[in-house]
Amino acid sequence: MIRKSLVLFCLVLALQVKGQNLPYYVVIGAYAVESNAQRATLQAHALNYPALYGFNAEKKFFYVYVRVSSDKDAALVTLSDIRREGFRDAWVFQGSLNYAAPNPIATANTAEEVTASLPVPTQSTPSDDNVQVSAADVVSINDDIVKSDSSAADANTATKPAGRGFVFKLMNTATGSPVTGMVRLQESDRANQFRPFVGNSLVYVVPPANKNKRWFLVCQVVGFRPLRTYFDYENASELDGATVGAEQEVVLPVPLERVKRGDYIEMDETRFYNNSCIFTPESERELKELLAMMHENSRYKIRIHGHTNGDQGRDIVSLGESTDLFHTSTLNKKHPGTAKELSALRAESVKKYLVDNGIEENRIAVKGEGGVHMVFDPKSTLASMNDRIEVEITKH
């Protein structure tokens, strides 16, 4: 884990040396006292996360983070995954940090020695129904390869990912155009763990552990019907439509079919601040996919269904005088209301986002469902997943 942290540290320095726009950090904790940040960093190491920490001079806090990237969307993908693993308060920070060494407590022989007496980070106990992904896998697979004449370039070259090169070619079956999205590889269709990969990019995939040497592939992109299939790892280049690229990578076609009337889209990554209709910032990536669908086909009409965890009344935070759908503000309004009212306001927020970005209002209907259609026990570790958005296709 220390080696992975060193690579991450070199990546941070390389981004800084190149003078690019400020990078994005996936942060799992902030601490006013450096020793607490040190301990949290090694504690993350003991849990198999390649964490580092740095000082935010503006906020006067030490930030512990597990990924740094020049790509906002890539950082948001990692954020979504790390939250699924239980770090529900993680967030993405864009800015500058004064970097600390990867091994913050020199007197410790191992991370386990330091963390033996420390409390475990606040995270839910994974259930059998909770799809999980290792943040360490996400970092090793998807971190940016930064080319520079600094020592970071040598570090990246030395740690070229293991496995075989692949390009998962996501494309719209109707138009043949590329589709932006992710694929997830699982050992079987019933596995509760997966490895995520960015589509239409060169990635490296290790062999599956099962005896058939098959990866089960799942692709879910907003606006397209979910695709579930499998491929033989050793003979992937022999599949229909597969080609071999210049770097000997296997280019696998992933054909995606647009949703049709009667289909429902689960907006799994669209989340809200607690008891509010204001999106968390990482929701924007998925909302952009919905927006692209609506722009691509002007015949689409949709009904947005808002849901809540539980059907009890609560104090609701709405926009008030603010126009910012992605950040809370002193201009927001707080008032008592019903779960159905909150769910309707959440659906209205999705509609407002689409309308503000050029979609005709008469193509969008909304409905607040309250807590009538919960998918998880409202007291379980997955209860927050009941606070969700579904999009019904009413015309295409």
Side-chain angles (χ1 to χ4, degrees), residues 43-196:
Q43 189 172 352
H45 287 183
L47 295 172
N48 204 31
Y49 295 96
L52 297 175
Y53 77 91
F55 185 65
N56 184 331
E58 180 182 356
K59 299 293 185 181
K60 308 299 183 187
F61 277 95
F62 294 91
Y63 284 3
V64 178
Y65 58 93
V66 295
R67 181 173 188 178
V68 59
S69 174
S70 61
D71 185 338
K72 179 180 179 182
D73 285 347
L76 292 176
V77 168
T78 300
L79 177 65
S80 177
D81 294 328
I82 200 82
R83 282 183 167 179
R84 285 193 186 99
E85 291 198 334
F87 291 90
R88 296 177 183 269
D89 295 327
W91 76 96
V92 170
F93 164 72
Q94 183 184 22
S96 297
L97 297 179
N98 295 324
Y99 308 113
N103 188 6
I105 302 180
T107 57
N109 292 324
T110 65
E112 288 78 3
E113 289 181 20
V114 175
T115 59
S117 60
L118 296 178
V120 176
T122 303
Q123 63 183 123
S124 306
T125 302
S127 75
D128 291 338
D129 297 326
N130 191 14
V131 175
Q132 301 168 56
V133 58
S134 166
D137 287 341
V138 175
V139 171
S140 64
I141 295 166
N142 291 325
D143 267 338
D144 303 83
I145 303 300
V146 181
K147 295 181 180 179
S148 72
D149 45 24
S150 69
S151 60
D154 294 332
N156 280 320
T157 301
T159 57
K160 180 180 177 180
R164 189 177 187 182
F166 280 84
V167 174
F168 297 103
K169 188 177 179 181
L170 279 58
M171 58 183 179
N172 186 326
T173 55
T175 64
S177 57
V179 174
T180 301
M182 303 281 297
V183 299
R184 297 174 177 178
L185 300 187
Q186 304 170 189
E187 291 281 346
S188 73
D189 59 342
R190 297 179 181 179
N192 63 356
Q193 294 185 337
F194 61 82
R195 292 174 179 264

Side-chain angles (χ1 to χ4, degrees), residues 196-214:
F197 296 92
V198 177
N200 301 317
S201 300
L202 175 61
V203 297
Y204 289 87
V205 181
V206 298
N210 59 63
K211 64 180 180 180
N212 294 323
K213 297 301 178 185
R214 287 179 174 178

Side-chain angles (χ1 to χ4, degrees), residues 264-279:
Y264 280 77
I265 301 170
E266 301 286 343
M267 303 287 284
D268 292 336
E269 296 179 19
T270 301
R271 295 286 172 238
F272 300 87
Y273 288 103
N274 191 39
N275 292 333
S276 84
C277 62
I278 301 165
F279 301 112

Side-chain angles (χ1 to χ4, degrees), residues 93-365:
F93 164 72
Q94 183 184 22
S96 297
L97 297 179
N98 295 324
Y99 308 113
N103 188 6
I105 302 180
T107 57
N109 292 324
T110 65
E112 288 78 3
E113 289 181 20
V114 175
T115 59
S117 60
L118 296 178
V120 176
T122 303
Q123 63 183 123
S124 306
T125 302
S127 75
D128 291 338
D129 297 326
N130 191 14
V131 175
Q132 301 168 56
V133 58
S134 166
D137 287 341
V138 175
V139 171
S140 64
I141 295 166
N142 291 325
D143 267 338
D144 303 83
I145 303 300
V146 181
K147 295 181 180 179
S148 72
D149 45 24
S150 69
S151 60
D154 294 332
N156 280 320
T157 301
T159 57
K160 180 180 177 180
R164 189 177 187 182
F166 280 84
V167 174
F168 297 103
K169 188 177 179 181
L170 279 58
M171 58 183 179
N172 186 326
T173 55
T175 64
S177 57
V179 174
T180 301
M182 303 281 297
V183 299
R184 297 174 177 178
L185 300 187
Q186 304 170 189
E187 291 281 346
S188 73
D189 59 342
R190 297 179 181 179
N192 63 356
Q193 294 185 337
F194 61 82
R195 292 174 179 264
F197 296 92
V198 177
N200 301 317
S201 300
L202 175 61
V203 297
Y204 289 87
V205 181
V206 298
N210 59 63
K211 64 180 180 180
N212 294 323
K213 297 301 178 185
R214 287 179 174 178
W215 276 119
F216 191 79
L217 183 150
V218 178
C219 184
Q220 293 180 262
V221 179
V222 171
F224 294 88
R225 289 180 168 178
L227 175 69
R228 303 173 69 85
T229 185
Y230 65 87
F231 65 91
D232 186 323
Y233 180 84
E234 299 293 344
N235 302 304
S237 60
E238 299 176 10
L239 293 173
D240 288 344
T243 59
V244 178
E247 302 295 326
Q248 298 303 303
E249 74 276 15
V250 178
V251 181
L252 284 184
V254 182
L256 298 175
E257 181 183 356
R258 274 296 187 192
V259 289
K260 298 180 180 180
R261 181 179 177 181
D263 288 341
Y264 280 77
I265 301 170
E266 301 286 343
M267 303 287 284
D268 292 336
E269 296 179 19
T270 301
R271 295 286 172 238
F272 300 87
Y273 288 103
N274 191 39
N275 292 333
S276 84
C277 62
I278 301 165
F279 301 112
T280 56
E282 65 272 13
S283 302
E284 189 171 11
R285 186 179 73 89
E286 191 173 58
L287 289 167
K288 284 181 177 178
E289 292 180 2
L290 179 62
L291 177 65
M293 180 197 83
M294 297 294 284
H295 274 306
E296 182 184 287
N297 186 343
S298 60
R299 296 189 299 273
Y300 272 126
K301 289 190 176 182
I302 61 175
R303 179 178 291 110
I304 303 167
H305 298 260
H307 299 269
T308 58
N309 180 45
D311 213 22
Q312 71 278 8
R314 63 202 76 190
D315 287 338
I316 296 172
V317 178
S318 58
L319 280 175
E321 297 180 10
S322 173
T323 58
D324 190 342
L325 289 168
F326 293 93
H327 299 89
T328 57
S329 164
T330 55
L331 298 177
N332 295 147
K333 177 183 176 182
K334 188 174 183 179
H335 66 282
T338 64
K340 191 166 186 177
E341 180 186 359
L342 174 58
S343 63
L345 286 171
R346 287 174 168 172
E348 288 284 357
S349 288
V350 178
K351 179 178 180 179
K352 177 174 171 54
Y353 174 83
L354 295 175
V355 171
D356 287 351
N357 286 279
I359 304 301
E360 298 87 348
E361 190 171 356
N362 62 7
R363 296 171 60 194
I364 309 167

